[in-house]
Amino acid sequence: MKKSRMLMLASLVACSSAAWAASASNEGAPPGGGGAVDAALKTCASSVARDSRGGPDQAAMTACMMKAGFTKPEGGDKHRGPPPGDLPERK
């Protein structure tokens, strides 16, 4: 009985440490470029004209980001709304 508890404890520790190591290695820069992209986004957003909703004008933002050396990813213009078809009813 005592050996099985020790085996279970060792298994739990091994799985926990593997999960912690996997999550710790993903805490670096966010996908898509990290700090350089964030800095360029902030600079461009503060320097371009505003649209009717008060946000940065998208055409001006794209031009500013291209001038800073970043290109828009493929499919970046597409709005990702809900999937086609009927939405399930809420309960």
Side-chain angles (χ1 to χ4, degrees):
M1 181 75 131
K2 192 168 186 169
K3 287 184 181 181
S4 64
R5 284 188 181 176
M6 292 299 288
L7 182 61
M8 287 175 38
L9 179 62
S11 299
L12 180 64
V13 169
C15 290
S16 298
S17 62
W20 178 78
S23 68
S25 66
N26 293 335
E27 291 177 359
V37 173
D38 290 340
L41 282 170
K42 286 178 184 176
T43 301
C44 288
S46 65
S47 65
V48 299
R50 300 289 172 190
D51 63 9
S52 61
R53 294 175 292 173
D57 181 58
Q58 290 302 306
M61 273 295 287
T62 301
C64 180
M65 289 299 287
M66 288 180 75
K67 190 184 288 187
F70 298 100
T71 58
K72 203 170 199 177
E74 288 292 320
D77 296 350
K78 297 177 184 173
H79 173 70
R80 300 188 196 281
D86 295 331
L87 296 176
E89 292 183 24
R90 291 188 177 187
K91 296 180 181 177

